[in-house]
Amino acid sequence: MAEADEERDEVAARFAGDDGRAALIRALAAYDRASADNFCATTGNPLCIYGSHPAQRPTRTDEVQPVVRDFDEEWDQAATVVSFALASVVGVGLAAALVTARLAVRRRLGEHRLRRARGASAPGVALSRAAQYAPVAGAALAAGYAGARLALPAGAAPPVWPAAAVAGAAWLALPALTWAAVRDRRPGPRRRRGSAGRRLTAEAAVLLLAGAGVWALRVRGTAGSGASDPLVAAVPLLCGLAVVVLLIRAYPPPLRLLARLAARRRGPLGLLALSRAARDAPAAVLALLVLVATLGAAVFGGLVTGTVEEGRRDALAWRTGGADAVLTDAASPAAEEALRRAPGVAQAVRVRLVRTDLTSAATGLGQRGADVLAVDGAALRRADPGSAAAAAVAGLGAPQRDGAGRLVLPVLAGGKRGEARTGETYETEWPGVRVRVAGRLTGGAARDAAFGPLYRASGTAPGADRPLLLADTAALAAADRERAADTPRGTAAVLYYGTATPAALRAAAPGTGYGSPYGELLIAAEERAADRDDGVLGAIRGAHAVCAALAAALALLTLLVELLLSAPERARTTAYLRLLGLGRRGATALGVLQLAPLALAAAAGGLALGLALPAALGPALDLQALTGGPTAPSRHSDLLLTAALTLGLLALVAAAAAADAVTTRRSRRLTALRLGEDR
């Protein structure tokens, strides 16, 4: 069994990736061509020899290649969705590496300044730090790549350059910050003005890059597989940076106003906490970025998975007509009647689709290829009281005869192309039959799930590319009696409602199946079970869950390191206040109040980012490829999950504040009050 599994994994690895899938399609095409030739003794003769009997060459029908291509599109879109989660983890990880590098530089800043005083150059100090940590970066890269190889099937190898780029960026953070800390600087106001100008330039560049990335992605979509398109991974990070830039500029002014109001009240806690939070807002850009990216990715993942799950339920209802089972493409009525008599079947509703050209009786203008849908409104209303199509058909009258004896069918008209005008009469290609538009067909009736099985093969929505008419089944049956015998009869489907089990339905119509003259039977319970076992949705859900957990862990690490960076100053302030009579609870409250504005700003920014990303990404996020419905699914946000993720972010910040409070409480008050030392 183990050898068989290894062989299966090796074969699967051969056809992984874009090149592997192209090779699989070529192999299937070659097999399709060779399958018929292997049964024929001669290839140049139109007749084949089966044994000693001549016969016509077999007809080939390839249903595998379309399935592979459809899965290829579905998996590419799933990889695009997963790449957003991976990009968030990479961004949070790089921010964590940058914050950790800042702490490392702070801890050895005295040593580096001493080396500079003894004649070492700033690039030399930075290069020495790079050389010290190069083995660590190399070992981390090797360990991560080896872990990825072990997690993938045998024979599959992840690309090296993304991991090398991330490891290189994390490694270069330490020497870059070391050089910035020990290089020669210009003193005085010119330095402050230059720093402010550089900050404005950087913020403007981030906003422009985010806008340009969103515009480019909406205009051109993804290049090839979305997972291999760098722009797909860069745009969410740029949008997160843009949100952080706006937050850094937006929330300090309200904090200063609140600090002024707090100054009028007794007690220094509110004034000190709000003033310090407003002053330290620019320095907290990395912590804010980590929190916004973590929450934004989690909310985006919940929004996408919720939308896909809801869209798949709608697509399943569309495929089965909203019924418990549906029979389509039946050339013989035997299976239809047997299913009507199956145990548990309470209602059976027949829907039809025929196509005809229309010519206006008043103007002579024509419209080609109009779809005429027909349903028994009374039966559908009994089976599904909420059906919009049943309510629409109920208002139509019975067919009438005009002065020339022609049958006139009352219909409702709709569709995006070639609208038929209300009140007009149209000639059809059916002899002796006209249609009169009695009213407009609403979107809800046109998209009623009862008509889904009729459009399952084409994959389009009713009225998407041609005029659409809706009539009652009895009216269309009357037209059948007027039509010539050679007129095409269109397609039909029978919807079955009730409590019948899949086993009972299969037993009642054992001959049904794809290509069978008895038709193809789809059972909603079986389709739901297949959707639950779908690996693509499970991969999306699992990837987002794992990435959210990793991002949360990195965010907690980043917050703790950021608190360690500002710990000496906060410990000194707390020590002064303790000497003035502030208790331990007051000191803890001061730390929590100082972090509260950051947490609330991160929660607002993360929610805005996660909810706005699907609209910003545009065509790059084509969830219809994952749902399979006739139209793109409407966004479905889980309010409970979103609220839980927001509370989780606030709890994360609270946990970091609690850990910092414990650490600060253990520090000695006299040590914090020492002057002239770098801590």
Side-chain angles (χ1 to χ4, degrees), residues 19-273:
D19 296 337
R21 279 173 283 179
L24 176 61
I25 292 177
R26 288 194 299 270
L28 290 173
Y31 177 81
D32 177 42
R33 291 190 299 269
S35 60
D37 296 338
N38 290 338
F39 286 100
C40 293
T42 59
T43 57
N45 196 317
L47 294 179
C48 292
I49 305 298
Y50 294 97
S52 59
H53 303 284
Q56 293 183 349
R57 295 179 63 84
T59 301
R60 306 188 307 270
T61 302
D62 184 6
E63 298 292 340
V64 179
Q65 291 189 55
V67 172
V68 173
R69 288 191 172 92
D70 290 343
F71 178 77
D72 190 10
E73 296 178 1
E74 182 181 2
W75 182 250
D76 278 346
Q77 192 56 228
T80 300
V81 173
V82 171
S83 70
F84 296 143
L86 295 176
S88 69
V89 173
V90 170
V92 172
L94 289 178
L98 192 58
V99 173
T100 307
R102 286 178 58 196
L103 180 62
V105 170
R106 173 77 63 84
R107 291 292 174 85
R108 299 185 62 180
L109 187 58
E111 175 187 341
H112 296 330
R113 286 176 176 172
L114 181 60
R115 291 180 59 187
R116 289 280 287 138
R118 291 176 176 176
S121 64
V125 174
L127 288 176
S128 66
R129 292 287 274 172
Q132 290 174 3
Y133 283 89
V136 177
L141 174 61
Y145 190 78
R149 288 290 299 267
L150 292 176
L152 292 175
V160 180
W161 68 267
V166 173
W171 168 58
L172 291 175
L174 182 60
L177 291 178
T178 302
W179 173 82
V182 300
R183 66 186 177 93
D184 296 327
R185 302 174 184 235
R186 292 182 300 178
R190 296 180 59 186
R191 173 186 169 187
R192 289 193 293 271
R193 288 195 298 268
S195 177
R198 286 192 297 271
R199 179 187 171 187
L200 286 174
T201 303
E203 291 175 350
V206 167
L207 294 176
L208 288 175
L209 285 175
V214 169
W215 178 81
L217 204 57
R218 292 181 65 87
V219 169
R220 73 167 178 85
T222 57
S225 174
S228 59
D229 189 355
L231 186 60
V232 171
V235 165
L237 292 179
L238 290 175
C239 290
L241 279 172
V243 170
V244 170
V245 166
L246 296 177
L247 287 175
I248 289 295
R249 288 291 182 180
Y251 85 86
L255 291 182
R256 296 190 185 99
L257 179 61
L258 291 176
R260 291 185 189 139
L261 295 177
R264 302 175 183 176
R265 301 176 62 90
R266 297 183 61 183
L269 292 182
L271 173 63
L272 290 174

Side-chain angles (χ1 to χ4, degrees), residues 284-312:
V285 60
L286 287 177
L288 190 58
L289 173 62
V290 165
L291 294 175
V292 167
T294 301
L295 181 59
V299 171
F300 173 77
L303 177 62
V304 168
T305 53
T307 300
V308 171
E309 290 175 356
E310 188 69 21
R312 289 201 169 192

Side-chain angles (χ1 to χ4, degrees), residues 308-386:
V308 171
E309 290 175 356
E310 188 69 21
R312 289 201 169 192
R313 282 192 288 269
D314 294 340
L316 186 147
W318 182 256
R319 293 195 305 271
T320 60
D324 298 294
V326 58
L327 181 67
T328 57
D329 303 327
S332 171
E336 176 182 343
E337 296 301 325
L339 288 169
R340 287 176 183 267
R341 297 189 298 269
V345 174
Q347 295 286 340
V349 180
R350 186 178 178 86
V351 291
R352 295 181 57 190
L353 168 64
V354 293
R355 191 161 292 168
T356 182
D357 296 337
L358 300 178
T359 304
S360 174
T363 63
L365 297 177
Q367 300 180 18
R368 298 184 60 84
D371 284 351
V372 182
L373 294 172
V375 62
D376 186 347
L380 183 58
R381 190 161 50 252
R382 288 192 300 269
D384 184 7

Side-chain angles (χ1 to χ4, degrees), residues 221-598:
T222 57
S225 174
S228 59
D229 189 355
L231 186 60
V232 171
V235 165
L237 292 179
L238 290 175
C239 290
L241 279 172
V243 170
V244 170
V245 166
L246 296 177
L247 287 175
I248 289 295
R249 288 291 182 180
Y251 85 86
L255 291 182
R256 296 190 185 99
L257 179 61
L258 291 176
R260 291 185 189 139
L261 295 177
R264 302 175 183 176
R265 301 176 62 90
R266 297 183 61 183
L269 292 182
L271 173 63
L272 290 174
L274 294 174
S275 300
R276 184 182 289 273
R279 188 194 65 183
D280 295 343
V285 60
L286 287 177
L288 190 58
L289 173 62
V290 165
L291 294 175
V292 167
T294 301
L295 181 59
V299 171
F300 173 77
L303 177 62
V304 168
T305 53
T307 300
V308 171
E309 290 175 356
E310 188 69 21
R312 289 201 169 192
R313 282 192 288 269
D314 294 340
L316 186 147
W318 182 256
R319 293 195 305 271
T320 60
D324 298 294
V326 58
L327 181 67
T328 57
D329 303 327
S332 171
E336 176 182 343
E337 296 301 325
L339 288 169
R340 287 176 183 267
R341 297 189 298 269
V345 174
Q347 295 286 340
V349 180
R350 186 178 178 86
V351 291
R352 295 181 57 190
L353 168 64
V354 293
R355 191 161 292 168
T356 182
D357 296 337
L358 300 178
T359 304
S360 174
T363 63
L365 297 177
Q367 300 180 18
R368 298 184 60 84
D371 284 351
V372 182
L373 294 172
V375 62
D376 186 347
L380 183 58
R381 190 161 50 252
R382 288 192 300 269
D384 184 7
S387 172
V393 172
L396 294 175
Q400 303 291 331
R401 297 280 180 178
D402 62 6
R406 290 168 295 199
L407 186 67
V408 181
L409 309 181
V411 297
L412 299 175
K416 295 182 179 179
R417 294 187 179 182
E419 289 189 357
R421 295 182 178 180
T422 302
E424 286 197 9
T425 302
Y426 292 85
E427 297 278 356
T428 67
E429 61 181 286
W430 310 326
V433 178
R434 285 184 168 187
V435 294
R436 179 180 56 83
V437 180
R440 303 306 306 165
L441 182 61
T442 62
R447 294 188 297 270
D448 196 293
F451 304 127
L454 301 174
Y455 289 87
R456 183 164 58 91
S458 62
T460 59
D465 55 356
R466 61 183 69 249
L468 182 65
L469 304 177
L470 177 61
D472 191 86
T473 299
L476 197 59
D480 286 340
R481 294 189 289 271
E482 298 285 332
R483 292 155 58 183
D486 58 346
T487 302
R489 298 284 174 163
T491 59
V494 184
L495 312 177
Y496 298 96
Y497 300 83
T499 58
T501 62
L505 293 172
R506 293 294 180 190
T512 57
Y514 179 78
S516 170
Y518 298 105
E520 183 179 5
L521 179 64
L522 287 182
I523 301 176
E526 295 178 349
E527 295 293 309
R528 279 193 292 269
D531 276 350
R532 283 195 298 268
D533 296 337
D534 184 34
V536 174
L537 184 58
I540 295 174
R541 192 185 294 110
H544 274 281
V546 171
C547 290
L550 289 175
L554 291 172
L556 181 60
L557 173 64
T558 305
L559 279 176
L560 292 176
V561 174
E562 278 282 1
L563 292 175
L564 285 176
L565 284 170
S566 59
E569 184 178 358
R570 285 184 294 105
R572 188 180 299 114
T573 303
T574 304
Y576 283 136
L577 294 175
R578 292 289 300 276
L579 288 176
L580 295 175
L582 183 68
R584 287 188 176 183
R585 291 184 178 180
T588 304
L590 177 64
V592 172
L593 287 175
Q594 187 175 341
L595 286 178
L598 176 68

Side-chain angles (χ1 to χ4, degrees), residues 584-639:
R584 287 188 176 183
R585 291 184 178 180
T588 304
L590 177 64
V592 172
L593 287 175
Q594 187 175 341
L595 286 178
L598 176 68
L600 294 177
L607 283 176
L609 177 65
L611 296 176
L613 264 181
L617 296 174
L621 191 66
D622 181 18
L623 298 183
Q624 186 178 358
L626 297 173
T627 59
T631 58
S634 57
R635 296 192 190 98
H636 177 76
S637 57
D638 191 339
L639 298 180

